[in-house]
Amino acid sequence: NLSPVPVRTATAIRTILAVNDKGLKFQVLSNPEFLAEGTAISDLTKPDRVLIGGVQSPEGIKAAETLASVYTNWVPREQVLTTNLWSSECSKLVANAFLAQRVSSINSISALCESTGADVSEISRAVGMDDRIGKRFLQASVGFGGSCFQKDILNLVYLCETYGLDECAAYWNQVILMNDYQKKRFSEKMVASMFNTVTGKKISIFGYAFKKDTGDVRETPAMFIVRDLFDEGAKIHVYDPQVCRDDMWSEMKYTCGICPEDTPRLDESVITSPDPYSAADGSHAIAVMTEWDEFKDLDYEKIYQSMAKPAFVFDGRNILDHAKLREIGFEVHAIGKPDPNSFSDL
């Protein structure tokens, strides 16, 4: 499967194939992929595991082993798992749900950190050193995006509701609600920090893709921040090294229901810039939306001199050197990081 399919899809396909008029017998296998954008080749050549689901009959088991023998040309046999069809189809949904759950979990803690003076990065490091928990997907951010996480969780929610498991459905739906809350919280903090108004102010958006090393904008958190700032009357300048303007509008129309053709001022209020320096020139604030490596190495002293004052930085990925930025003169706000001006005992 190139993408998760509804559970029981294999059963539906088996039913269709079984009624062929040539007397042919088919074995249907479920073989979900676990490739991540930006690392797909290494994920394919060095996978954590390969999952093959089949009917638990002699014919089905033989078919699964035949496919397994293909993978064992480069994957150790102990990493090739064979299960029944249900387990294979469910596993892909559950894997993405668990990853998204970790993101929403640490993001919920980031909100607590900003209120109490704790540092979410220090908490992530301390918690991640517990072998039972592990370090991955514990980086607080403005929220998760991409085509898989939300879709797969909603698929899981629907599946739970279908079988009357309302409490289970509500549990997983909360992962989506927390992600929505985190994005809204970020845009509201931007407005509140900038004297409760961004009307007419130029705001620079650094990064639009949902993650670095890809141009994918599906469900990208940046889109929701741009929409919120546009609604507040800001003039938004976006720079992303891989995202084109047409893709921005296409996804915004599909997900947010707005586009330049039917939304007055949108086209003139959202500008795509050729580089980060022109995006920041004259702006009141920079919002880092994607963790592109190049953003770490920009000349922020030069950028600061070109911006309106006071100059704000809102780090939605926690990738910048906040202490250095403050030394330059920026007012810095970051996900899950205490504001030195608000706490005297840090």
Side-chain angles (χ1 to χ4, degrees), residues 31-47:
N31 179 211
E33 51 81 18
F34 294 95
L35 310 180
E37 289 193 60
T39 59
I41 298 301
S42 61
D43 292 340
L44 178 63
T45 57
K46 298 178 181 179

Side-chain angles (χ1 to χ4, degrees), residues 111-124:
L112 180 63
C113 288
E114 291 169 33
S115 296
T116 61
D119 186 324
V120 74
S121 297
E122 294 175 349
I123 291 176
S124 295

Side-chain angles (χ1 to χ4, degrees), residues 208 226 244-254 258-261 266-271:
Y208 197 85
V226 167
C244 68
R245 189 173 180 84
D246 288 344
D247 288 344
M248 286 174 51
W249 293 144
S250 177
E251 177 62 16
M252 189 168 285
K253 181 178 181 179
Y254 178 78
I258 61 174
C259 63
E261 291 76 23
L266 182 62
D267 195 45
E268 63 192 65
S269 297
V270 181
I271 307 299

Side-chain angles (χ1 to χ4, degrees), residues 147-181:
S147 64
C148 291
F149 281 3
Q150 178 158 310
K151 171 175 60 65
D152 288 356
I153 291 177
L154 291 177
N155 195 337
L156 190 59
V157 169
Y158 173 77
L159 191 63
C160 291
E161 290 176 341
T162 299
Y163 288 95
L165 305 173
D166 294 340
E167 290 80 5
C168 299
Y171 175 84
W172 287 109
N173 192 55
Q174 187 61 39
V175 175
I176 300 295
L177 297 180
M178 179 55 63
N179 194 52
D180 292 341
Y181 167 73

